[in-house]
């Protein structure tokens, strides 16, 4: 029987990969999209004819309930959030409204419309904050940003609806995952785009913040597969999803510049304005439980990921130059 899924955050990085995955499995896919004054569907334009978009906002309970009524989903993937950690210090209240209370709004809409719907919550390794690695499902949470605090609320709201109402509600505690579709404000994409622009002569220098922070970076396509697997399991549980390999921002920068035969020392300067009020120093996840229970493992390595991002940004910037009519030599 054809399954139906509703994805909040379908216009984001993960939403676009998840929609592709579900379509490939024969799902009917709906996406909740908030109103914007300009078109914001670049990441899903290639599948626009295969999905149905429903207007709605995580800030608006009625619109979420309407979306559930219209789509009648078997599964809901709650990916919408204010997801940029740095912004959460300048907009802490709004981050809480989207990223924390937004989860309760979706859970409450499911409870009242159809509690049999399976629910996936996009929890985050940011919730571990200052807890040292390796981080597992059993590690302590100590978030270090308003974003991390908000995600922790959403995480426990999901557990609470599972325990209070017997709902099939799961959280994936996902470590950083990236792709050529990553927003330009996140460090991997900022680096891949700057490297491409420096190589093509469009940019002279790149500024960066904390070079010593360490992250466990994987490929978004591998991680949306884990989301789907969680909702196919026999019982609802929470899982850490990670590669188990941690790299510093410095290693990321070095790797990306080397791909285009440049030495980052010649181009990169640290800008103290990019340092965060409180940093998450060291993330490295242990996804043994997901491997054992779901059979999940990542396919793409850190080096392959950075390579693909730099390559795509080189191609995209070349297209921009070509469209502007500038000489590419
Ligand atoms: P993203 O690219 O920033 O996408 C966020 C999505 O949320 C966008 O589609 C955005 O819509 C939507 N959104 C924001 N506020 C909304 C609102 N009030 N109502 C409806 N939609 C709203 O994020 P991502 O990287 O795909 O991440 C997906 C989810 O996983 C997020 O919850 C993020 O916090 C979480 N997560 C991500 C990572 C990671 O490394 N990528 C790791 C752990 C957890 P617009 O297009 O209109 O802005
Ligand atoms: O790429 P980032 O902005 O990602 P961050 O803060 O780790 O958050 C991402 O991963 C979380 C999972 O752990 C998600 F929940 C969240 O939604 C998001 O997807 O920063 C990564 C690291 C940080 O330590 C930051 O301080 O890179 C460091 N960094 C150094 N210079 C920089 C920069 N980050 C950004 N964005 N820009 C810089 O210039």
């Amino acid at each position: 029987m054809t399954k139906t899924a509703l994805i909040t955050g379908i216009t984001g990085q993960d939403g676009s990969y998840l929609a592709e995955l579900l379509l490939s499995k024969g799902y009917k896919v709906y996406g909740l999209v908030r109103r914007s004054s300009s078109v914001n569907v670049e990441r899903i334009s290639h599948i626009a004819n295969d999905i149905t978009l429903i207007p709605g906002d995580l800030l608006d309970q009625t619109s979420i309930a309407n979306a559930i009524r219209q789509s009648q989903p078997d599964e809901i993937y709650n990916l919408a959030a204010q997801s940029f950690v740095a912004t959460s210090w300048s907009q802490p209240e709004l981050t809480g409204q989207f990223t924390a209370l937004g989860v309760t709004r979706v859970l409450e809409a499911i409870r009242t419309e159809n509690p049999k719907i399976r629910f996936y919550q996009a929890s985050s390794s940011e919730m571990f904050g200052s807890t040292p690695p390796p981080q597992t499902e059993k590690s302590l949470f100590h978030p270090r940003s308003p974003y991390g605090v908000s995600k922790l609320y959403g995480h426990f709201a999901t557990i609470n609806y599972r325990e209070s109402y017997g709902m099939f509600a799961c959280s994936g505690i996902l470590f950083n995952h990236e792709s050529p579709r990553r927003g330009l404000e996140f460090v991997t994409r900022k680096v891949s785009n700057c490297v491409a622009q420096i190589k093509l002569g469009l940019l002279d220098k790149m500024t960066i913040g904390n070079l010593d922070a360490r992250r466990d970076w994987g490929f978004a396509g591998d991680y949306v597969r884990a989301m789907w697997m969680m909702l196919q399991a026999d019982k609802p549980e929470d899982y850490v999803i990670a590669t188990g390999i941690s790299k510093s921002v410095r290693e990321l920068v070095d790797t990306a510049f080397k791909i285009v035969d440049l030495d980052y020392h010649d181009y990169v300067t640290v800008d103290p304005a990019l340092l965060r009020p409180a940093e998450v120093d060291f993330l490295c996840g242990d996804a043994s439980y997901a491997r054992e229970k779901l059979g999940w493992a990542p396919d793409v390595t850190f080096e392959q990921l950075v390579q693909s991002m730099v390559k795509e940004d080189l191609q995209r910037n070349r297209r921009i130059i070509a469209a502007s009519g500038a000489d590419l030599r």
Side-chain angles (χ1 to χ4, degrees):
M1 202 181 68
T2 305
K3 279 193 186 174
T4 301
L6 172 63
I7 303 173
T8 75
I10 195 167
T11 56
Q13 170 189 258
D14 290 7
S16 66
Y17 282 108
L18 179 64
E20 281 173 7
L21 177 78
L22 297 180
L23 286 172
S24 76
K25 293 185 179 298
Y27 277 61
K28 179 147 185 50
V29 176
Y30 290 84
L32 184 88
V33 285
R34 58 179 171 168
R35 191 202 166 263
S36 158
S37 64
S38 56
V39 178
N40 184 24
V41 289
E42 194 189 337
R43 293 186 180 104
I44 49 171
S45 55
H46 60 297
I47 50 171
N49 293 334
D50 305 318
I51 59 181
T52 306
L53 299 182
I54 304 177
D57 200 302
L58 280 201
L59 298 180
D60 186 77
Q61 177 84 39
T62 307
S63 68
I64 301 169
N66 283 341
I68 292 177
R69 246 172 265 144
Q70 183 179 330
S71 57
Q72 296 290 321
D74 301 291
E75 298 167 6
I76 293 184
Y77 296 85
N78 184 37
L79 309 186
Q82 190 302 93
S83 74
F84 188 42
V85 172
T87 293
S88 75
W89 277 282
S90 58
Q91 300 180 11
E93 190 193 333
L94 191 68
T95 299
Q97 283 290 345
F98 285 5
T99 305
L101 280 176
V103 184
T104 293
R105 293 190 190 97
V106 179
L107 285 164
E108 196 50 21
I110 293 173
R111 185 184 73 78
T112 51
E113 294 298 323
N114 176 6
K116 294 212 174 328
I117 295 169
R118 294 189 170 203
F119 175 74
Y120 172 84
Q121 167 57 16
S123 287
S124 165
S125 50
E126 267 287 310
M127 302 186 311
F128 293 121
S130 56
T131 294
Q135 291 96 4
T136 73
E137 292 82 2
K138 293 190 168 58
S139 297
L140 284 178
F141 294 122
H142 188 139
R144 299 266 289 162
S145 62
Y147 169 85
V149 172
S150 300
K151 279 288 177 188
L152 195 52
Y153 174 100
H155 185 72
F156 277 107
T158 303
I159 292 171
N160 181 250
Y161 271 64
R162 183 165 78 214
E163 293 178 352
S164 302
Y165 305 113
M167 282 166 48
F168 196 109
C170 311
S171 285
I173 308 173
L174 270 52
F175 283 61
N176 298 52
H177 46 280
E178 321 290 316
S179 74
R181 297 183 200 168
R182 187 59 142 150
L184 282 162
E185 67 273 35
F186 298 93
V187 76
T188 52
R189 186 70 200 292
K190 172 176 170 175
V191 169
S192 66
N193 191 47
C194 286
V195 163
Q197 293 192 337
I198 288 170
K199 182 68 180 175
L200 296 174
L202 297 171
L203 193 69
D204 296 330
K205 296 274 179 204
M206 182 183 109
T207 55
I208 196 93
N210 184 359
L211 281 167
D212 297 318
R214 301 187 72 88
R215 290 291 181 275
D216 179 333
W217 278 296
F219 169 55
D222 285 338
Y223 285 48
V224 300
R225 187 159 39 83
M227 297 176 188
W228 174 77
M229 287 174 140
M230 284 178 218
L231 293 201
Q232 313 315 308
D234 292 337
K235 60 176 183 165
E237 290 189 88
D238 307 322
Y239 299 89
V240 158
I241 300 296
T243 69
I245 296 169
S246 187
K247 303 274 185 184
S248 66
V249 174
R250 191 185 309 280
E251 287 171 291
L252 163 73
V253 169
D254 186 37
T255 304
F257 273 89
K258 280 194 176 134
I259 288 168
V260 295
D261 299 321
L262 295 176
D263 181 344
Y264 83 89
H265 296 96
D266 297 333
Y267 302 96
V268 176
T269 51
V270 171
D271 179 354
L274 292 170
L275 301 175
R276 296 177 177 181
E279 180 61 277
V280 171
D281 293 319
F282 198 160
L283 290 177
C284 186
D286 177 351
S288 302
Y289 193 63
R291 193 173 305 116
E292 181 197 323
K293 289 281 172 180
L294 303 174
W296 179 86
D299 286 337
V300 177
T301 65
F302 172 78
E303 287 73 19
Q304 289 168 334
L305 173 67
V306 180
Q307 179 92 35
S308 73
M309 293 178 71
V310 171
K311 190 174 152 214
E312 289 254 353
D313 274 323
L314 279 167
Q315 286 171 353
R316 195 178 55 87
N317 280 288
R318 283 200 184 102
R319 282 196 299 272
I320 293 170
I321 298 171
S324 76
D327 191 342
L328 254 184
R329 279 170 300 164

